[in-house]
Amino acid sequence: MLIAEIISVGTELLLGEITDSNAAFLARELAARGVVLHRKTVVGDNLPRLQEAIHTALSRADLVILGGGLGPTEDDLTREAIAAALNETPAEDPVLLAWLEGLYASRGRPMPGVNRKQAWLIPSAEALPNPNGTAPGWFARSSGKFIVALPGPPREMHRMWREQVLPRLPLPDHALHTTTIHTHGIGEGNVAELLGDLCLAANPSVATYARRTGVDVRVAASAPSEAEARTLAAPVLEQVRAKLVQWTWGENTDTLAGKLNQMLNGRTLGVIEAGSAGTLCTLLADQPAFLDAAVTVDHRRLITLGLTPVTLRDLGLVSEQAARELAAGAREHLGADIGLAVVVQTTGEHAGQAYAAVDGDGSAHTVAVNWVGDAAQARDRAAVAALALAYRATRLGGQNA
Amino acid sequence: MLIAEIISVGTELLLGEITDSNAAFLARELAARGVVLHRKTVVGDNLPRLQEAIHTALSRADLVILGGGLGPTEDDLTREAIAAALNETPAEDPVLLAWLEGLYASRGRPMPGVNRKQAWLIPSAEALPNPNGTAPGWFARSSGKFIVALPGPPREMHRMWREQVLPRLPLPDHALHTTTIHTHGIGEGNVAELLGDLCLAANPSVATYARRTGVDVRVAASAPSEAEARTLAAPVLEQVRAKLVQWTWGENTDTLAGKLNQMLNGRTLGVIEAGSAGTLCTLLADQPAFLDAAVTVDHRRLITLGLTPVTLRDLGLVSEQAARELAAGAREHLGADIGLAVVVQTTGEHAGQAYAAVDGDGSAHTVAVNWVGDAAQARDRAAVAALALAYRATRLGGQNA
């Protein structure tokens, strides 16, 4: 078993000015490859504390991954700290230096003197090329342990991790097979009740996660090979699928909008958003079925789009009937095959109340949403509920939802 | 000086399944109050490792803040680990237990037996009420040091931090005065060149940050009182403001859409988005000036909105002329005082190319954007550039931008 620790370097992380997305990326990468991550630590641009953190991590783990602190300035101390923790002295590597100078020459600029430290190496370390930046990484071996240093910018880090680090690591003879089932319209507690004892087993494990698009259920099995892991997961996966079929809209990399697009099968979708301010449109970006949308809370404009003045007067804009009329309007006035409308209350006593409606194939369906939260959350939940409604309605075809 | 460490608890954090936003929140809170954060650590739901992490943090810091692990299940080990690190034994607190049972009674449900551990206390700790959940926090004092345990859900944690923890902490006699200046249309490197030596001073400090809405410049001064910090910051702040005036759209909590709304001064805004899929609408949510939007890439529909077939044929949809015609169309066809249009290429060789145009007050202005990145980034940069263009144009009134 390979035990890992991650050390993220940078005072800006300790000031809360940026979120450490690299550590989450590395955590997922390690989990998927059977490497067990025991700790993540964030330290500032401080040589003694960084050196101590590396030293301590090396005493506990087989693999220590450092992110950040490889820039050219005085604040960038990762190289110095690794060298100190391993009791080695960095020296300029002529090959690295030539590469760095070439990089600047190709941009028609002289290399600033400060950048020379990016050409440093220590005897235990080899350099990891960085195709997207000026900071090479380090891959060091010491007493059977591994120390990896990668630059902080995610574009540089992700690629170097995959292309340079992974092939050098003695990864465990181990495969993790995971399937994530996406549901909508059922709460996490109810999912847990439905799954019952399935959630208690360790391998395959079944875990629930509340996401923006509903509750996800992840079934994970670990075995020496991918095929064995898949076989181990299969019976549990079938049980989970059967229990959740009624709420399930997809698996793994599926998106709700993508699944809706697939169900629409060439038919076009017209959208009216009143109160959700384009949130539904952003979810539908990239879907060929998405034809046209009107985004407005202006009453006169909504009336030209199909809302009846009587509904507006008697029931208000945030009503099931208004959503129904606007869904029909989205189909008729925007020239689409299927109309989808969402009306959301974002302020006042009834903030969070929303209705969505879908109209097409000779039938109409509606859903009510009441979400406690701020205006952005209310918009988001309503837009997701509208997509889920349209997915269910088109999956059912002409039947009643 | 108060030195702090944060320990975030949860195996899900080590699997990369969720990002640790609590730690960033706490980091900002500490920085703003002059507390120096030396380390953030993430450990899983593992008693020996959690206990060791608390023990080590206490040996280095005056204040140790734990987030998460206060739930009712066997995986929730923060209480046990603090007790072990302080060598104390937890016992059920009758007052806490009565409060917990009352909470369940008010929901008409019996309290599950597992929840009894949420009523635990140790002699060194007092309970921190949680108005938004079932997990009380702990505030422990030991050998002149402070250990705070807060639940993981941000809604619970943020409120308890502000209402319960801050009043109990011996915060340093210290105030930080910060002003953030928001710019758009100038790169971070150019801002740094303009500011020159101002960025080198420690107090007041001047730092640049590349944000979604442009480059932010933060001027921060630290002093014993707020008034002294403000006085210390003032001359530097004036210099920074003067150097950046041409690109500045706001300060501190200003939003670009809010500033545009203010400049519109009662006039209404009509929007056409072709390729940005509602992103501009979402930025304009909550602004009274935002009247109506059409979101589509459908050529026939765009022609009914003002795009001329000749422009479409000769220059294409993603062209300055198309943006200009659609901005006029947004004003005329959506019945608004000011029309704003954005056209974005999200695929193919020219992905990232975008144009925005604003039309109103008898004049029109355009801007071109070329952003290297994925489709979501291209949409986002284009939408922000459109807002910035509209802000500049309305600020200038009828003058040329």
Side-chain angles (χ1 to χ4, degrees):
Chain A
M1 194 166 74
L2 201 65
I3 306 287
E5 295 202 15
I6 295 172
I7 300 174
S8 299
V9 187
T11 298
E12 69 278 18
L13 293 165
L14 291 180
L15 293 174
E17 283 162 0
I18 60 171
T19 302
D20 188 10
S21 64
N22 283 343
F25 165 81
L26 287 172
R28 283 191 300 275
E29 288 282 307
L30 294 170
R33 286 168 180 85
V35 179
V36 179
L37 179 63
H38 271 184
R39 261 189 194 75
K40 293 196 277 191
T41 307
V42 182
V43 287
D45 303 317
N46 174 290
L47 188 55
R49 281 198 286 279
L50 181 52
Q51 180 186 341
E52 192 273 335
I54 297 170
H55 185 81
T56 309
L58 273 178
S59 73
R60 295 183 297 221
D62 310 302
L63 167 63
V64 177
I65 306 167
L66 292 116
L70 293 179
T73 74
E74 285 185 16
D75 282 351
D76 294 300
L77 296 164
T78 297
R79 281 172 291 256
E80 288 85 337
I82 295 174
L86 297 181
N87 212 4
E88 298 185 22
T89 306
E92 254 179 40
D93 182 80
V95 176
L96 272 183
L97 189 62
W99 172 78
L100 263 178
E101 287 174 335
L103 201 66
Y104 278 88
S106 75
R107 297 176 185 174
R109 296 191 282 141
M111 188 180 87
V114 290
N115 285 71
R116 292 185 81 97
K117 72 187 250 183
Q118 297 191 307
W120 284 3
L121 268 186
I122 51 172
S124 299
E126 60 180 312
L128 303 177
N130 179 351
N132 294 329
T134 64
W138 278 14
F139 189 94
R141 292 173 178 83
S142 174
S143 313
K145 305 209 166 188
F146 303 92
I147 303 148
V148 176
L150 294 171
R155 247 180 96 241
E156 303 178 26
M157 197 269 256
H158 293 191
R159 185 160 170 194
M160 291 168 72
W161 168 257
R162 292 203 167 113
E163 296 178 3
Q164 303 293 332
V165 180
L166 281 180
R168 286 176 169 84
L169 288 178
L171 290 174
D173 190 14
H174 162 104
L176 189 71
H177 180 80
T178 68
T179 305
T180 301
I181 294 165
H182 307 296
T183 73
H184 186 271
I186 178 170
E188 193 173 7
N190 298 102
V191 170
E193 269 181 27
L194 271 176
L195 297 178
D197 287 353
L198 287 172
C199 293
L200 298 180
N203 190 23
S205 66
V206 179
T208 62
Y209 304 93
R211 303 283 191 213
R212 177 186 181 195
T213 52
V215 175
D216 279 2
V217 178
R218 195 178 83 131
V219 178
S222 164
S225 74
E226 165 66 21
E228 288 164 280
R230 183 186 297 268
T231 305
L232 187 62
V236 172
L237 190 54
E238 281 320 302
Q239 287 183 66
V240 173
R241 281 183 179 136
K243 284 174 193 284
L244 296 174
V245 63
Q246 157 177 15
W247 298 276
T248 298
W249 56 258
E251 292 192 356
N252 298 328
T253 57
D254 288 342
T255 65
L256 192 43
K259 293 293 285 189
L260 169 60
N261 188 68
Q262 196 179 315
M263 286 297 149
L264 286 170
N265 196 21
R267 288 169 295 175
T268 56
L269 187 70
V271 169
I272 295 177
E273 295 195 56
S276 50
T279 309
L280 182 50
C281 291
T282 61
L283 293 172
L284 286 163
D286 301 320
Q287 303 306 331
F290 176 39
L291 180 71
D292 188 10
V295 181
T296 184
V297 287
D298 185 57
H299 289 179
R300 279 177 306 178
R301 170 76 170 138
L302 288 167
I303 286 168
T304 70
L305 288 165
L307 178 64
T308 65
V310 171
T311 296
L312 190 56
R313 186 193 63 204
D314 295 348
L315 303 166
L317 173 56
V318 182
S319 64
E320 187 176 357
Q321 180 59 23
R324 194 184 287 270
E325 291 172 2
L326 288 169
R331 190 171 51 74
E332 289 162 20
H333 297 282
L334 304 178
D337 298 318
I338 308 281
L340 181 61
V342 60
V343 291
V344 188
Q345 186 76 40
T346 55
T347 55
E349 192 190 343
H350 299 291
Q353 182 66 57
Y355 297 90
V358 61
D359 186 292
D361 297 336
S363 69
H365 307 277
T366 61
V367 70
V369 181
N370 202 328
W371 178 256
V372 178
D374 62 21
Q377 287 174 311
R379 290 186 180 111
D380 204 57
R381 297 294 160 148
V384 167
L387 278 190
L389 172 73
Y391 171 74
R392 276 198 300 276
T394 48
R395 190 174 66 168
L396 287 167
Q399 303 166 44
N400 288 323
Chain B
M1 194 165 74
L2 201 65
I3 306 287
E5 295 203 14
I6 294 171
I7 301 175
S8 300
V9 186
T11 299
E12 70 277 19
L13 293 166
L14 289 180
L15 293 173
E17 283 162 359
I18 59 171
T19 301
D20 188 8
S21 63
N22 283 343
F25 164 82
L26 286 172
R28 283 190 301 273
E29 287 282 307
L30 294 170
R33 286 168 180 84
V35 179
V36 179
L37 180 64
H38 270 182
R39 262 189 194 76
K40 292 197 277 191
T41 307
V42 182
V43 288
D45 303 317
N46 175 289
L47 188 54
R49 280 198 286 280
L50 181 51
Q51 180 186 340
E52 191 272 335
I54 296 170
H55 185 82
T56 309
L58 273 178
S59 74
R60 295 183 296 223
D62 310 302
L63 166 64
V64 177
I65 307 167
L66 292 117
L70 293 179
T73 75
E74 287 185 16
D75 281 353
D76 294 300
L77 295 163
T78 297
R79 280 172 291 255
E80 288 86 335
I82 295 174
L86 297 182
N87 213 5
E88 298 186 23
T89 307
E92 255 177 41
D93 181 78
V95 177
L96 271 183
L97 189 61
W99 172 79
L100 263 178
E101 286 174 336
L103 201 66
Y104 278 88
S106 74
R107 296 175 184 175
R109 295 191 282 141
M111 187 181 88
V114 291
N115 285 73
R116 293 185 80 94
K117 73 187 249 183
Q118 296 191 306
W120 285 1
L121 267 187
I122 51 171
S124 299
E126 61 180 311
L128 303 177
N130 179 351
N132 293 330
T134 64
W138 279 13
F139 189 95
R141 293 173 178 83
S142 175
S143 313
K145 305 210 167 188
F146 303 93
I147 304 148
V148 176
L150 294 171
R155 247 181 97 241
E156 304 178 25
M157 197 269 254
H158 293 192
R159 185 160 169 194
M160 291 169 72
W161 168 258
R162 292 202 167 116
E163 295 178 4
Q164 303 294 331
V165 180
L166 282 180
R168 286 177 169 83
L169 289 177
L171 292 173
D173 191 17
H174 163 100
L176 189 71
H177 181 81
T178 68
T179 305
T180 301
I181 294 164
H182 307 297
T183 72
H184 186 272
I186 177 170
E188 193 173 6
N190 297 102
V191 170
E193 269 181 25
L194 271 176
L195 297 178
D197 287 352
L198 288 173
C199 293
L200 298 180
N203 191 21
S205 66
V206 178
T208 62
Y209 304 94
R211 304 283 191 212
R212 177 186 182 196
T213 50
V215 174
D216 279 1
V217 178
R218 195 177 84 132
V219 178
S222 165
S225 74
E226 165 66 21
E228 288 165 280
R230 184 186 297 269
T231 305
L232 188 60
V236 173
L237 189 54
E238 282 319 302
Q239 286 184 66
V240 173
R241 280 183 180 135
K243 284 174 192 285
L244 296 174
V245 63
Q246 150 178 23
W247 299 276
T248 298
W249 56 259
E251 292 193 357
N252 299 327
T253 57
D254 288 341
T255 65
L256 193 42
K259 292 294 285 189
L260 169 58
N261 188 70
Q262 196 179 316
M263 285 297 150
L264 286 169
N265 196 19
R267 288 169 294 175
T268 57
L269 187 70
V271 168
I272 295 177
E273 295 194 56
S276 50
T279 309
L280 182 50
C281 291
T282 62
L283 294 173
L284 286 163
D286 301 319
Q287 303 305 332
F290 176 39
L291 180 72
D292 189 9
V295 180
T296 183
V297 287
D298 185 58
H299 289 180
R300 279 176 308 178
R301 171 74 171 138
L302 288 167
I303 285 167
T304 71
L305 289 165
L307 179 63
T308 63
V310 171
T311 297
L312 191 56
R313 187 194 64 205
D314 294 348
L315 304 166
L317 172 56
V318 183
S319 63
E320 186 176 357
Q321 179 60 22
R324 194 184 287 269
E325 291 172 1
L326 287 169
R331 190 169 53 72
E332 288 161 21
H333 297 281
L334 303 178
D337 298 318
I338 308 282
L340 181 62
V342 59
V343 291
V344 187
Q345 185 77 39
T346 56
T347 55
E349 191 190 343
H350 298 292
Q353 182 66 56
Y355 297 90
V358 62
D359 186 291
D361 297 335
S363 68
H365 307 277
T366 62
V367 69
V369 181
N370 202 329
W371 178 256
V372 178
D374 62 22
Q377 288 173 310
R379 291 186 180 108
D380 204 57
R381 298 293 161 151
V384 167
L387 279 191
L389 171 72
Y391 171 75
R392 274 198 301 276
T394 49
R395 190 175 65 169
L396 287 169
Q399 302 165 45
N400 286 322

